[in-house]
Amino acid sequence: MFRPVMTVSAAVALLAAPFSSEAAAEDVPPPDKIVIDVVSVNGSGCPAGTANVTVSPDNTAFTVSYSNYVAQVGVGAKPTDFRKNCQLSLSVHVPQGFTYAVARADYRGFARLEKGATGLERANYYFQGMAQTAYVNHHFTGPLNDNWQTSDTTDIDALIYHPCGAKRYFNINTELRVDAGTSDTTKTTSLVAMDSTDGNISTLYHFAWKQCPRR
């Protein structure tokens, strides 16, 4: 199960683990290219054209970039803006003989919360047809006017791997929320954004690799 960890880095570390006595050495990703296709992108936090997925050159991670993922309350905000979400469904094509799990996911963004207001960033992950993991929550408390970074990590013995030989999409659900609390929404605006100061944020998900058993 994922557990929350505050981090000072916006990168996700991939951990490799051997699957059998004939498995590849630890920490060695597959040598061939990984291809990730975006099957669907849905949610108020990732309108069409505002989320992009790329794979790292060394096959150890993939990156999701957002450009319009902001939850807010107060002046200028619509009643529904207090909550934003994004659901990504990805088809991960890995070299034959390998399978993967996601060992860590790091997020970063910006928060401007008035005194009395609070914010929330949460995420969960699962393979199509398999049970969803519990949401991992990260809380923010006003007053706050700064960048934020969070990280979700999984213990090696708790990693859930894609079934060898199966074709199942990998799903990522993320959510941002802002609660006005005791802040004055007639005069102020509080927000939490999965975004950076240049208007684009990269969230990295790193794989844990292992070889499938030979048949």
Side-chain angles (χ1 to χ4, degrees):
M1 179 177 295
F2 275 94
R3 66 178 189 276
V5 178
M6 298 303 293
T7 180
V8 295
S9 170
V12 181
L14 290 197
L15 305 176
F19 188 69
S20 68
S21 60
E22 298 177 326
E26 292 189 8
D27 302 322
V28 179
D32 298 328
K33 183 179 180 181
I34 298 170
V35 177
I36 296 180
D37 295 326
V38 180
V39 179
S40 64
V41 180
N42 296 296
S44 54
C46 51
T50 66
N52 184 55
V53 179
T54 57
V55 181
S56 65
D58 61 359
N59 290 339
T60 60
F62 65 92
T63 302
V64 181
S65 299
Y66 300 98
S67 60
N68 190 25
Y69 200 166
V70 184
Q72 59 184 334
V73 295
V75 178
K78 299 176 183 178
T80 57
D81 285 346
F82 79 97
R83 176 184 179 273
K84 297 289 183 176
N85 75 301
C86 185
Q87 300 179 351
L88 296 175
S89 183
L90 308 175
S91 179
V92 182
H93 306 277
V94 300
Q96 185 174 4
F98 282 86
T99 188
Y100 71 95
V102 172
R104 178 171 163 175
D106 288 0
Y107 302 87
R108 66 177 181 177
F110 177 79
R112 185 175 71 241
L113 298 173
E114 296 295 324
K115 183 178 179 180
T118 58
L120 170 71
E121 177 269 315
R122 64 192 316 219
N124 77 340
Y125 321 83
Y126 64 99
F127 291 109
Q128 179 186 19
M130 301 175 69
Q132 296 189 27
T133 61
Y135 272 100
V136 180
N137 297 319
H138 299 274
H139 299 274
F140 310 99
T141 302
L144 177 64
N145 186 27
D146 203 355
N147 295 319
W148 58 264
Q149 297 178 346
T150 64
S151 184
D152 304 342
T153 63
T154 303
D155 294 330
I156 290 294
D157 58 0
L159 289 172
I160 299 175
Y161 285 85
H162 182 276
C164 289
K167 183 178 181 180
R168 298 187 181 184
Y169 299 141
F170 179 61
N171 299 302
I172 303 168
N173 296 326
T174 57
E175 182 180 324
L176 297 176
R177 291 192 185 194
V178 178
D179 186 339
T182 59
S183 66
D184 187 351
T185 55
T186 65
K187 298 179 181 179
T188 64
T189 302
S190 292
L191 63 86
V192 174
M194 198 172 293
D195 202 345
S196 63
T197 53
D198 62 2
N200 188 35
I201 176 65
S202 294
T203 300
L204 287 154
Y205 299 84
H206 280 231
F207 299 112
W209 292 107
K210 65 183 178 183
Q211 285 190 330
C212 294
R214 294 181 180 179
R215 297 181 179 179

